[in-house]
Amino acid sequence: MTSKRAARSVLAIVVGIVFVSAVVEALEFALVTAINGARVTDPETYYGIRNLPWFLAAKLLYNSLAAVGAGFLTAVIAGYAQVRHGLVLALLQTAAFGWALTQPEMSRWTPGWMWAALIILTFAGIIFGARIRAARAGASRP
């Protein structure tokens, strides 16, 4: 692997991680703020809103969509071995969720079933996004 390819691979993965995190966190914060009517500064209020059943369902949806976008974007930037880059991103995101579960302050605010659903759907979404890109890239070749 050339150094240019290696750098592109690292960039693809970093952009994917930043993308999924930025989209999910920004959207969640904006929704909680809108529902509250003002910026939320304490965790109890924030997670009291975020853990409403309909909000958790929405979270599964927007997390999944962000994951598909991150997988697709990672594959585009990588430009080769697109599904493998998606797999690396999915594994890193899963490791990040695993780390969050070991942090009492982070894990206590989210139900266990939600963590499991987020891990499964985010992993699958990233792979799906990378596969979509790989299929499109393959279809566009003469």
Side-chain angles (χ1 to χ4, degrees):
M1 176 185 308
T2 67
S3 61
K4 184 176 180 180
R5 251 186 161 190
R8 192 168 175 170
S9 290
V10 170
L11 177 66
I13 301 301
V14 168
V15 167
I17 287 283
V18 169
F19 178 86
V20 74
S21 298
V23 167
V24 167
E25 296 304 320
L27 185 56
E28 182 173 293
F29 183 77
L31 288 172
V32 169
T33 300
I35 292 163
N36 190 54
R39 185 168 178 235
V40 179
T41 56
D42 68 286
E44 259 184 68
T45 302
Y46 184 92
Y47 290 106
I49 294 169
R50 205 288 310 272
N51 286 342
L52 293 169
W54 68 267
F55 201 114
L56 290 176
K59 180 171 180 58
L60 291 175
L61 178 63
Y62 65 73
N63 266 76
S64 297
L65 293 173
V68 172
F72 188 91
L73 182 59
T74 295
V76 167
I77 293 169
Y80 72 100
Q82 295 165 335
V83 176
R84 275 188 277 169
H85 282 85
L87 179 60
V88 171
L89 175 62
L91 290 170
L92 286 173
Q93 183 60 53
T94 300
F97 282 141
W99 175 83
L101 281 166
T102 68
Q103 306 305 305
E105 281 303 307
M106 293 180 78
S107 65
R108 80 177 200 165
W109 296 107
T110 303
W113 66 266
M114 186 65 173
W115 282 110
L118 286 171
I119 290 167
I120 292 165
L121 291 173
T122 301
F123 191 96
I126 290 169
I127 299 299
F128 184 65
R131 290 188 73 168
I132 291 170
R133 174 56 187 161
R136 285 187 180 175
S140 68
R141 291 187 187 133

